[in-house]
Structures are given as C-alpha cells and as structure tokens.
Amino acid sequence: MTASGTKALEGVKVLDMTHVQSGPSSTQLLAWLGADVIKLETPGRGDITRGQLRDLPDVDSLYFTMLNCNKRSITLNMKAPEGKEVFEKLIADVDILVENFGPGVVERFGYPWEKLHELNPKLIYASIKGFGPGRYADFKAYEVIAQAMGGSMSTTGFEDGPPLATGSQIGDSGTGIHLVAAILAALYQRTNTGRGQRVQVAMQDAVLNLCRVKLRDQQRLAHGPLGEYPNEQFGDEVPRSGNASGGGQPGWAVRCAPGGPNDYIYVIIQPVGWKPLTELIGRPELAEDPAWATPEVRLSKLDKAFALIEEWTEKHTKWEVMDKLNAHNIPCGPILSTKEIIEDETLAELGTVVEVDHPERGTFKTVGNPLKLSDSVTEVQRPPLLGEHNDEVLSALGYSADRLAELRTAGVI
C-alpha cells in the first residue's frame, strides 16, 4: 500500500456491463488502478464466460476469473420495469459505464446515449464495438476476425504458408487497453468541462493501430523491395515474413539444444554485436571479412548469417545462449513456453504472474497488473461470485432489506 493509502482511481465508480474478454480486460485494469467496478450480470447465468471452458464442474472458469479480479458483482434483469428502475439509479450514481454488447443492444434496452446523458450529464459512456460506423458497423466481431480485418493475419506466418492468428489477444485485450486510455482521457477532460462524453473503440481500429509498421511497409513497397525482409519476391502488398524482426535491426529465432518445440532463442544482429557474435560462434574471421563485415553486405545473406549462428546455438540450451549473448550485450530472448512463464520465479516476484485464492476453486494463477504506478500499488483480489454484492451495492442506493427480498423473489436481481 502507498504512504497515502490511496489508489489512482479511488472514488471513481464504474458500472461494468461487459462480458467475455475485450470489455472485462478493460474494466479489470480500471479496478486494479483503484476504481470501484460493479459488474452487472444476468440473474442465474451471469457473464457467459463463467461457464465457458470450465476445468472444474460448477465452478467459475479460469476464463472468467482471470478477467474479473477486484470487481463487485450484482445481478439485474434489464427487461423488468423494476430492473430498469435499479439501472437508472445506478447510472445516476456512477462515473463510467462500460459495455461491449453488439451494435444496438443497449439502445434496445431503451438507453441510447442521449437518454444516459440526460440521466447523468457527467457520465462517461464507453463502448467496444467490432467496427466503426460504415459498411462493417453491424457485423459481429471476435478476436481472430479483428486480427483478420486489422492487418495482423495477412502479415503473420511464413511466405509459403497460410495467414495465421497470433497467440496474443490483440483483438480483445488489445482493444481493452485502448479503451482504458480513452476512458482516462475522458475522465481527465471532465475535470475541465464537468461533462461526460461518449467513448468508443473499434476492435478493427485497435488491431490496425498495433499493426501500423505493416502499413508503413505497404507504402515503402512503392519504392522497391523491403531489404530487411527475408523474402525473395515482392508483389504489391506486404508479405508474410516468418520471424523477421521487420525493424531496423535484423532478427530471427534459431534452434537450441535439446531441440524441443520451444527450444529456440530470438537473436538480433546489431552492427556493434557482429564482432562478438563471430567470436562466440567460432568464426572470428567473419568480423573483418569484406563479404560479412557490414550490415549492408550481410543484408543479402541474412539466412546464411542466422544459419551460422544456429550451428552454434544448437549445441547449447536457450538459457546458456541467453547468458552468453547478454554477456556481450547482444539482444536476445529465449522463446518461453506458457509452462515456463507460469512457473517463472522472477515473474512471480515482480507480480507479473500472481496467485489468487478463490472460495470455490482454491488458488489459481493469473496475470498481474502490467501498469506499475509508484503511488498506486495494485493488490490483485479474487473475482466476485455471481451476484455476491447485490445487497451491498443496492443498499447503498437506498433499497431496504425487505425491498431487496421482493426484488429477489421477482427475479429482478
């Protein structure tokens, strides 16, 4: 805890109407930053991910628990008149509403932006959609659809293979992070204007923002082949280029001992690193050889350069190679499997991977808060059980115990 005992977003109230991944990833970050995030769920079922991909019967799935830490949960039937009454009291009481329903869903509940703004002029209404207004506006979007339409898949994979999805959830969690930035900007602007506003991020836009270097290269193609790519042929679009770094310094993943599926290390050849590399691999003569000595002459035979490095790395483990390369300040990174990451002691010490107690499943591991603030330290708390905070939240809105019992009996909460 900080000396002041406060958190960055202390006092900020969020009504979280999100589900699955993109929205919950965003509101979880807000909760980790200290906001009071109240997750509004459907009575009886809740967020659909509570029951998806379960590893234990009748227990909230890891899919849910890893995206909903530090939140409170209430249930509410938005179709019932009494449910709408509760909802309107909630709207009047919060700073931010976040939702990632399909296009038009909140409007069909009877709450377009104009109505919400009328109920609470200071409300920041934040949405994630698949696409912006226009041709695609009403289309459904999922993680890999966003990757497909945002430039990622066409540029991921090897030249002779199909387009590939990436293992990182750039469509869902990537959009969630973008939404956090937009929400915080709106919150800051409100300190000057006193007004709330509409905030929207499209998944396609977020993925494209993360793929901007590929649009850079699309435009560079007009002036000739892309020298830092390993491809021999170039058409009129950016090709898939395997493990090429795509940046100013060439890189590649090379095999290591003992030859398992993740026994690889990614190595970047910087001009200053070429001489120590040649010594490590036992080919010191290449440091002065005019055919190898400069980045320009190496560019046309990067495949051969990395093949030479691989002949050496195959004799060592990726951890041994990492130590040897780092001793000479050569950029590299072993390919870490999910097992290695979840068991990594350093990541545990840093809070990058944390262990959380849960009343039904025992303990589970999850990703900690990647946003590190010196005066707002995050303590990752367990996610809520379905409707766990109904009485707590609604009592604060003025509902008596008797009224809460009536609402429960009527299936409103």
Side-chain angles (χ1 to χ4, degrees), residues 119-132:
L119 289 167
N120 182 352
K122 298 183 76 173
L123 181 73
I124 293 162
Y125 174 22
S127 301
I128 288 175
K129 299 300 175 205
F131 308 96

Side-chain angles (χ1 to χ4, degrees), residues 57 97 341:
L97 167 65
I341 288 170

Side-chain angles (χ1 to χ4, degrees), residues 191-207:
T191 64
N192 295 320
T193 66
R195 293 195 313 275
Q197 62 182 295
R198 191 83 168 85
V199 172
Q200 296 185 77
V201 179
M203 293 170 71
Q204 183 183 33
D205 295 359
V207 171

Side-chain angles (χ1 to χ4, degrees), residues 22-54:
S22 64
S25 69
S26 182
T27 51
Q28 181 172 252
L29 280 170
L30 296 174
W32 281 343
L33 291 171
D36 176 14
V37 177
I38 301 164
K39 187 174 177 76
L40 190 156
E41 303 184 71
T42 305
R45 188 195 74 177
D47 187 323
I48 193 171
T49 59
R50 285 186 184 268
Q52 284 186 335
L53 307 177
R54 273 184 171 147

Side-chain angles (χ1 to χ4, degrees), residues 129-323:
K129 299 300 175 205
F131 308 96
R135 179 182 174 190
Y136 312 128
D138 294 328
F139 293 4
K140 282 188 175 179
Y142 287 83
E143 169 66 48
V144 184
I145 291 173
Q147 290 189 31
M149 296 184 68
S152 178
M153 288 187 72
S154 68
T155 56
T156 302
F158 284 86
E159 190 173 22
D160 57 354
L164 292 177
T166 175
S168 57
Q169 306 289 283
I170 59 175
D172 280 330
S173 287
T175 306
I177 295 164
H178 280 80
L179 191 69
V180 168
I183 288 169
L184 296 182
L187 200 58
Y188 182 76
Q189 188 173 8
R190 195 181 73 174
T191 64
N192 295 320
T193 66
R195 293 195 313 275
Q197 62 182 295
R198 191 83 168 85
V199 172
Q200 296 185 77
V201 179
M203 293 170 71
Q204 183 183 33
D205 295 359
V207 171
L208 183 55
N209 189 41
L210 296 172
C211 291
R212 69 172 62 233
V213 297
K214 299 302 181 181
L215 280 198
R216 172 201 69 190
D217 294 345
Q218 175 63 37
Q219 295 170 90
R220 290 171 61 223
L221 269 176
H223 306 289
L226 305 172
E228 74 283 4
Y229 280 60
N231 309 66
E232 293 182 6
Q233 303 288 326
F234 287 89
D236 60 359
E237 54 193 28
V238 175
R240 290 186 277 283
S241 55
N243 286 319
S245 70
Q249 311 292 343
W252 201 256
V254 290
R255 281 190 294 268
C256 298
N262 289 303
D263 287 322
Y264 285 81
I265 190 165
Y266 197 86
V267 180
I268 289 178
I269 303 175
Q270 292 178 318
V272 70
W274 180 245
K275 187 174 188 295
L277 258 176
T278 61
E279 292 166 358
L280 280 170
I281 68 176
R283 297 293 301 274
E285 72 279 5
L286 298 180
E288 307 299 333
D289 185 337
W292 289 94
T294 66
E296 290 74 26
V297 297
R298 287 195 295 272
L299 201 57
S300 63
K301 46 178 172 268
L302 285 176
D303 55 341
K304 294 182 179 65
F306 285 108
L308 288 169
I309 295 168
E310 191 168 72
E311 286 177 16
W312 171 70
T313 60
E314 283 181 314
K315 300 183 181 78
H316 308 276
T317 69
K318 61 189 178 186
W319 301 105
E320 291 168 343
V321 175
M322 180 179 72
D323 289 339

